[in-house]
Amino acid sequence: MLLPEFDIDESRWSGVAEAPAPGRQLAVAQALRALLPADCVLSRDEELHPYECDGLAVFRQQPMLVVLPRTETEVRAVLLACRRLEVPVVARGAGTGLSGGAMPHAAGVVLSLARFDRILQIDPAARIARVQPGVRNLAVSEAAAAYGLFYAPDPSSQIACTIGGNVAENSGGVHCLKYGLTLHNVLGLRGCTIDGEPIELGGCALDAPGLDLLALSIGSEGLLLVVTEVILKLLPKPELAQVVMASFDDVGKAGEAVAAIIAAGIIPSGLEMMDRKATAAVEPFVRAGYDLAAEAILLAESDGTPDEVADEVRAMERVLQANGATAIAVSASEAERLRFWSGRKNAFPAAGRISPDYYCMDGTIPRNRLGHMLKAIERMEHKYGLKCMNVFHAGDGNLHPLILFDANRSGEWERADRFGADILELCVQLGGTITGEHGVGVEKLNSMCVQFSPAERAAFFSVKRAFDPPGLLNPGKCIPTLARCAEYGRMHVRHGQLPHPDLPRF
Amino acid sequence: METRLADWIKGTTQGDSANDILRACVHCGFCNATCPTYQLLGDELDGPRGRIYQIKQVLEGTPATRNTQLHLDRCLTCRACETTCPSGVDYGHLVDIGRAVVESQVRRPLNERLLHWLLREVLTRRGLFGGALRIGRALRFALPRALHAGLGEHRAPGAWPRRTHARKVLLLNGCTQPALAPSIDAATARVLDAIGVQALVDARSGCCGAIRHHLHDQRGALQNARRNIDAWWPQLDSGAVEAIVINASGCTTMVREYAWLLREDPAYAARARRVSDATRDLAQFLGPQLPLLLRCVRPASITRIALQNPCTLQHGLKLKHDVEQLLSALGAQLLPVDEPHLCCGSAGTYSLLQPKLALELRARKLAHLLHAQPQMILSANIGCLLHLAAGTAVALRHWIEWIDELIVTS
Amino acid sequence: MDSALQELRHQVLQAHSASTPLRLRGAGTKDFYGERCEGTLLDMRGYFGVVDYEPSELVITARCGTSLSELEGLLAQHRQFLAFEPPAFGGDPTIGGVIAAGLSGPRRFQAGAARDFVLGAVLLCAQGELLHFGGKVIKNVAGFDLSRLLCGSLGILGAITEVSLKVLPLPRLEQTLQFEMAASEALALFNRWAGQPLPISATAWYDGHAWLRLSGAPPALRTACERLGGELLDAEAASRFWRSLRDQTHPFFGHASTLWRLSLPSTAPQIAGSGSQLIEWGGALRWCASDQPAADMRQRAGAAGGTALHWRGGTAGGRFHSLSPVVLEIHRRLKSRFDPHGIFNPGRLIADL
């Protein structure tokens, strides 16, 4: 056997929707009620139902139970009980995820960490914040502001999403081009293994001995451990930040302008693009002052000392002009800067104003393929008969096409789903990836078959087994099984070559 | 969001309204971030998104339970979620519809029904409430502490202006406020008088209906609304008054709702719309009159002020900065207050019905208000004033009373 | 398949079937680093070359045997660089070795560590498969982050045959300020400055002197220099100085017979018995030429919230700080799954693994 084995419990993996055996719910509920206060275990249908999905509401599954512990001791007790009773555990933060990563398991427990909402410590001298996983992303920066510090990753959902969820997904945001992802801004984690053992990875020092299990845990989508505390790196707040907003009469030109900025040696703190459909959707709500006549707008932020910003803004204006910007505006005040961003940050839900449902994609491609991708998406709009508005983290090639559909109309979701899969497959063909920051969850399992070979997926399962031998943490997410990929029937693609000709056949 | 409403509600006015609102929700969860009860309880069931889901479930045919009712009861209806929602979900109206349906399906235990009835009948009747209040204040020592909140301190109202002006507005002939703090209406009349506006009160009008509305007495609330419309209509229709000006933001919000509440009533729909359109919160009315106001005030002596912006003002009426701008222009130094979007826990009768959560929210709000050591806390709603006053020794006033102090009588 | 890669694969398969250990090695610049390791040499230098480099994408992909000098030379032509400043230790390491060791230079303080710049890696696993993890794009969360797990793994999970790294534009200007001050004062100042929006890209303290390197746009550096004071160092001398820290050619590293590398919270007070010291990374990295017993050093570093690595000298005991039992157990399971016959660098990262 040349391939590492797919050493998992296939039924638990594929049985996300299979109801528990009769009497099972009562037995597990009783076991958990013995460990937690009464208001911490939910078991009635009407209580479980609202937990059936996260921010991606097309994937739904009512859990067997929901637990809402308040302390690490309670989390450990729940994990121990679940391990003993062999109950799958799905950890959940604010439930804002967009890949169904927190979608429950029918025979499992949802472990909500929403009550872990305390900022335990802000140490301005060491520039760190020690927080519980249920703390909202934005709350960290708000608390750090008093010391002139901030927490850099700022996903669009930062008002609501939790740090624990950010760790699970390795969330990015509009400023990660310069400041990095969650991975780059988390110094340490404390959590529990499925065995209820406390585990600490990283810490307040920069290096830790052994393998970098901290890096491995960040973005592991709740499959490896349950996080109960996070040490975050805080950065000094730049003295000034300004946003240059440029309009383009062609989306391709805007894409070229992005490459030109980078090629000029400028790393803007944020570099975002929205197409006309996106600006039209958000403008009525945020009144950001977007140019509604432009086919695309670029938002490029510069931060630093006032002199530095002035310098960089001038340089960016020059590049943008040279690349065909039809209009350029520079934020004149902090309020205006925030207003420019607010449209971008509210772009996803604002899609709810022009369409009952939207499906947000998250592929990443090399920046220079942006124009190619956009043209392809336009063709797909016709193919599937659905509209798609486009929002990008242009600076790092991360696309968020929002496919608009109406779930109440039969067949529309299925078309949206295929539309999305097509986009992701093209991302892989262009040398990119199926998810830049939202995670695989339950949503992109099929696309994982396209991006990774069976041996690579087996390696993922090896990691899973090393942390979680019984396979109880968030089973059925993130990594597809051999059977699932066989059923999906699409081939593994590598950079436009079908399928990996660089490997000898054996 | 996908919806499959049950046949019994599909196609009805309520059903269609609910369906439109539900469809706008994309389940993003931003609302939970600013929901006071979600902050306290950390349970999806106690945040707007979860409540929307619970309502959806009932409207899709799953019978409501006491549990559903509990989580809807815990909602303060502060509508902070609406301010946060990027998809424009009209949560306030959805929760009204949901509560009515749940109320019709689930019978409350006797003690709850009695309490609701008592609050509805006493609070909304000025004579009855005034009497009870006097007795309560006299016997304060004998009452449980939880009830002290509602009592407040009596302050002399001062003289009602006697001048007449060509410009006239109608004030609400309120229910609890005139009994609890008659100084607020008097101060309002005096400030208006100073800028050449005469304040009228129509004796036939009364409680705006918010109390009954929130205590699940929809019929009673609509009766209150119709009575007020009848009372105000002649003066409004003839153009004798330029606006209905209300100095309790909770009541302003309710009167602005008459148009929606009576939209299906052929006899009242058109007039209700006119009344709602003509209704202004006092801050909204005074804002444009600032130049006139600046001519008749002296410099303030109490300047370090913490402003509590009632939810009805900032979320219900979307008047986020109006009072702030007015006070700053008149010389107030407004101190920074954390979590300004969070409800203080008063929320109409909420503080009496959900005392535990209300007190937790009050403590949180007061900590923020007192953080920068203000000389005085100002609010824009009688409910918030009384609720907060019971938790601090720092002076609490309606902002109009602060302005009233500055007026130089000519 | 490239013949050099074929050859590597052949050797791995053979070792796997015979369960004979392999000692993975590039240019051998870090032979001193890690625990003792025995095995047949697997020379990674034969598989080399830059595979893909598009400057406007800020990504470079190179085979494991590519020399650091070649890679950095190519980047420099486009005014870009590896911002984690991998140490060369006076030689010319391979990029595979750089990533397998995961060590970073002075700029780690501001730019991040080697692992922060890893975007993707190809692993030749024990079964002879080439496994692609990560990719060539900056944001990528598909599957577990195995490419970063490989960074610093010292080859115990398999042979890294190719890496994709994020690169950055060279700073437009660099200036170095020198101050005279005691270590404790330097620690306090480093931490205070790090909390302010200053363009500091490296710090060092040694023998009564502190150095600050500023990197960025000329206007920002002008303002910072005015604010910070100190003596401006000649550019040539400054560059030599930082290079000597990065590559450990600075006299401090030559003198010490036994050398400890303490990774501590930057605000940790001075460690007792740390002997002659060189401090980097704003206080988070402290090189100590100390003869204190190993157990004492580890205990003190641990008590301060960090770890102690026995970098050089001494004989008894392991070099790395020990792992907690639960973390060690995960290491064991990972190793046994990726390398069931224990052929890759046995013992190099953890004594009996």
Side-chain angles (χ1 to χ4, degrees), chain B residues 222-233 257-276:
Chain B
L222 292 183
Q223 273 166 11
N224 286 166
R226 290 192 189 101
R227 181 200 56 209
N228 287 348
I229 293 169
D230 287 338
W232 294 329
W233 186 252
E257 277 292 288
Y258 284 180
W260 163 271
L261 291 170
L262 291 165
R263 69 195 187 284
E264 291 295 308
D265 181 337
Y268 278 88
R271 285 188 290 160
R273 208 161 43 239
R274 270 280 302 279
V275 165
S276 287

Side-chain angles (χ1 to χ4, degrees), chain A residues 240 242 244 266 302-319, chain C residues 172 216-222:
Chain A
L240 179 70
Q242 268 187 310
V244 182
I266 302 170
S302 169
D303 65 12
T305 63
D307 290 346
E308 196 178 8
V309 171
D311 206 51
E312 195 166 276
V313 164
R314 265 196 305 276
M316 289 199 291
E317 282 182 294
R318 270 197 303 275
V319 176
Chain C
R172 282 164 61 196
L221 262 60
R222 212 168 31 241

Side-chain angles (χ1 to χ4, degrees), chain A residues 39 42 44-57 60 68 70 92-96 112 114-115 117 136 156-160 285 345-346 348-353 355-358 406-409, chain B residues 1-4 19 23-34 38-46 49-50 53-54 56-57 60 62-63 65-68 71 82-89 339 341 364:
Chain A
D39 69 326
L42 307 180
R44 294 157 158 271
D45 272 352
E46 71 268 26
E47 296 172 321
L48 300 173
H49 190 67
Y51 280 91
E52 69 176 1
C53 59
D54 57 16
L56 182 57
R60 298 186 292 267
L68 300 145
R70 287 192 177 82
R92 173 185 164 112
T96 57
S112 168
R115 289 174 173 172
D117 63 350
R136 294 178 301 114
S156 299
S157 56
Q158 72 176 141
I159 183 174
F285 167 59
K345 293 210 168 177
N346 287 300
F348 297 178
R353 292 177 179 249
S355 166
D357 299 278
Y358 67 87
D406 181 343
N408 280 13
R409 289 203 202 144
Chain B
M1 229 166 23
E2 191 180 347
T3 53
R4 298 271 181 265
N19 194 51
R23 300 295 310 280
C25 174
V26 296
H27 212 255
C28 70
F30 286 20
C31 50
N32 281 349
T34 54
Y38 187 80
Q39 306 315 303
L40 296 184
L41 300 165
D43 184 348
E44 183 75 16
L45 306 175
D46 291 310
R49 182 173 65 172
Y53 228 78
Q54 291 170 84
K56 176 171 167 294
Q57 201 177 356
E60 288 183 342
T62 312
T65 66
R66 273 291 283 165
N67 245 306
T68 324
H71 296 296
E82 286 183 25
T83 302
T84 308
C85 179
S87 306
V89 174
E339 300 189 316
H341 59 277
R364 188 156 168 162

Side-chain angles (χ1 to χ4, degrees), chain C residues 8-347:
Chain C
L8 287 174
R9 185 167 168 269
H10 176 73
Q11 288 184 58
V12 166
L13 283 173
Q14 220 169 29
H16 182 62
S17 62
S19 293
T20 50
L22 293 171
R23 186 164 57 89
L24 281 57
R25 189 172 189 263
T29 55
K30 289 173 282 288
D31 280 346
F32 67 91
Y33 180 58
E35 313 289 357
R36 269 173 63 87
C37 163
E38 307 282 348
T40 314
L41 180 73
L42 185 69
D43 190 334
M44 306 297 292
R45 283 178 297 184
Y47 190 55
F48 63 89
V50 171
V51 179
D52 194 7
Y53 173 43
E54 182 66 55
S56 75
E57 296 295 321
L58 299 177
V59 179
I60 192 163
T61 301
R63 291 171 177 161
C64 56
T66 315
S67 71
L68 183 61
S69 63
E70 184 196 335
L71 198 132
E72 291 195 311
L74 178 62
L75 291 174
Q77 284 173 28
H78 298 273
R79 296 202 44 78
Q80 296 188 334
F81 76 135
L82 294 177
F84 59 97
E85 295 188 327
F89 299 109
D92 192 3
T94 60
I95 195 65
V98 161
I99 296 307
L103 296 167
S104 316
R107 203 179 300 266
R108 165 78 188 93
F109 168 73
Q110 173 246 343
R115 68 95 134 136
D116 294 323
F117 290 86
V118 173
L119 298 178
V122 180
L123 182 75
L124 175 56
C125 70
Q127 295 84 355
E129 285 265 2
L130 287 173
L131 309 179
H132 292 66
F133 300 119
K136 296 177 181 178
V137 285
I138 288 168
K139 278 162 109 177
N140 185 355
V141 295
F144 297 133
D145 200 347
L146 276 155
S147 58
R148 291 188 174 105
L149 177 74
L150 296 176
C151 185
S153 66
L154 286 178
I156 68 162
L157 300 177
I160 300 170
T161 60
E162 189 181 296
V163 290
S164 294
L165 301 173
K166 181 183 175 184
V167 299
L168 286 178
L170 277 167
R172 282 164 61 196
L173 183 66
E174 298 215 307
Q175 287 181 323
T176 297
L177 301 173
Q178 184 180 315
F179 304 80
E180 271 184 46
M181 64 179 74
S184 55
E185 193 187 346
L187 283 175
L189 276 175
F190 288 164
N191 280 293
R192 192 193 315 155
W193 285 331
Q196 296 170 10
L198 292 163
I200 301 173
S201 68
T203 68
W205 179 91
Y206 174 61
D207 195 21
H209 291 87
W211 292 267
L212 285 189
R213 183 176 65 190
L214 307 170
S215 305
L221 262 60
R222 212 168 31 241
T223 326
C225 283
E226 281 164 19
R227 197 191 297 181
L228 292 165
E231 179 196 341
L232 187 66
L233 237 59
D234 160 68
E236 189 64 30
S239 160
R240 268 202 312 277
F241 171 74
W242 294 110
R243 187 81 226 185
S244 75
L245 292 190
R246 173 177 168 180
D247 290 343
Q248 301 203 341
T249 51
H250 187 277
F252 167 82
F253 295 97
H255 297 156
S257 57
T258 180
L259 189 60
W260 286 89
R261 181 185 189 272
L262 305 192
S263 180
L264 301 174
S266 61
T267 48
Q270 296 250 61
I271 300 295
S274 47
S276 169
Q277 256 194 114
L278 191 146
I279 301 173
E280 289 190 79
W281 299 359
L285 180 62
R286 304 188 198 174
W287 299 97
C288 302
S290 168
D291 296 324
Q292 295 282 315
D296 288 2
M297 287 306 280
R298 295 202 194 285
Q299 190 276 326
R300 286 171 199 161
T307 53
L309 163 58
H310 206 162
W311 188 258
R312 188 180 293 155
T315 47
R319 299 206 163 269
F320 294 107
H321 208 96
S322 60
L323 303 174
S324 71
V326 55
V327 171
L328 183 61
E329 179 55 28
I330 293 170
H331 277 72
R332 283 190 199 291
R333 292 189 202 140
L334 279 171
K335 174 73 173 174
S336 73
R337 287 186 175 268
F338 276 87
D339 180 15
H341 300 178
I343 61 167
F344 291 116
N345 275 359

